[in-house]
């Protein structure tokens, strides 16, 4: 069984970025980092001209389908019938994108099939992590 889920999504850029109103972004989930999801944007869609990856909580993405969620650099909220707004803030500027909520729900379903909500802690190898920290001390 695979430990990684990757799902392309079509993101519609609505604020503060160059030239591309629609962006082919990718959502990632890795069972080895069970609390997090990543969203990657291709180089042509970024101010820096390099791929940009944002990492944030899977729970934030799920909660943002239903209500305004997030503080700081990543915020998520519902918008209309089948859209979800993701807002990414960095010193260089702010990007606001719309993604079909159905695509996010499909992605979250796949992540929960891999690691059910509330069972993330079972994926963590605390002994290995502690050994890595102690080795460097």
């Amino acid at each position: 069984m695979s430990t990684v889920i990757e799902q392309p999504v079509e993101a519609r850029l609505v604020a503060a970025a160059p030239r591309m109103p629609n962006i082919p972004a990718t959502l990632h989930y890795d069972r080895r980092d069970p609390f997090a999801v990543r969203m990657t944007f291709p180089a042509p869609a970024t101010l820096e001209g390099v791929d940009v990856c944002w990492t944030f909580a899977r729970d934030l993405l799920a909660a943002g389908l239903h209500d305004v969620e997030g503080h700081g650099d990543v915020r998520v909220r519902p918008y209309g019938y089948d859209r979800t707004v993701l807002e990414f803030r960095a010193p260089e500027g702010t990007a606001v994108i719309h993604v079909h909520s159905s695509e996010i729900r499909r992605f979250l379903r796949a992540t929960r099939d891999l690691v059910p909500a509330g069972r993330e802690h079972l994926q963590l190898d605390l002994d290995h992590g502690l050994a890595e920290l102690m080795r460097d001390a």
Side-chain angles (χ1 to χ4, degrees):
M1 175 182 245
S2 176
T3 64
V4 176
I5 295 168
E6 289 191 348
Q7 179 182 314
V9 295
E10 188 68 30
R12 182 172 182 272
L13 189 61
V14 293
R19 308 169 307 279
M20 297 179 67
N22 293 310
I23 304 167
T26 304
L27 288 167
H28 306 265
Y29 181 78
D30 188 333
R31 179 166 52 188
R32 293 171 295 181
D33 190 5
F35 293 100
V37 296
R38 293 177 315 180
M39 191 167 201
T40 304
F41 299 93
T46 69
L47 294 173
E48 298 83 16
V50 297
D51 288 359
V52 171
C53 182
W54 287 84
T55 302
F56 50 97
R58 176 171 73 163
D59 288 347
L60 172 66
L61 187 60
L65 288 169
H66 308 289
D67 204 358
V68 177
E69 295 291 334
H71 304 281
D73 295 342
V74 180
R75 297 177 185 174
V76 183
R77 67 181 179 277
Y79 180 78
Y81 171 69
D82 187 41
R83 298 271 184 187
T84 299
V85 174
L86 291 96
E87 185 176 315
F88 300 98
R89 295 174 179 229
E92 301 81 15
T94 299
V96 179
I97 63 164
H98 290 184
V99 177
H100 286 283
S101 300
S102 57
E103 291 187 274
I104 294 173
R105 283 192 293 275
R106 183 167 41 103
F107 172 75
L108 289 171
R109 234 182 341 269
T111 70
R112 289 186 196 116
D113 288 345
L114 189 60
V115 178
R119 312 277 295 173
E120 296 92 349
H121 66 284
L122 298 175
Q123 301 300 314
L124 301 175
D125 186 351
L126 296 178
D127 290 333
H128 175 73
L130 184 57
E132 289 291 311
L133 286 172
M134 297 303 289
R135 182 190 65 166
D136 294 336

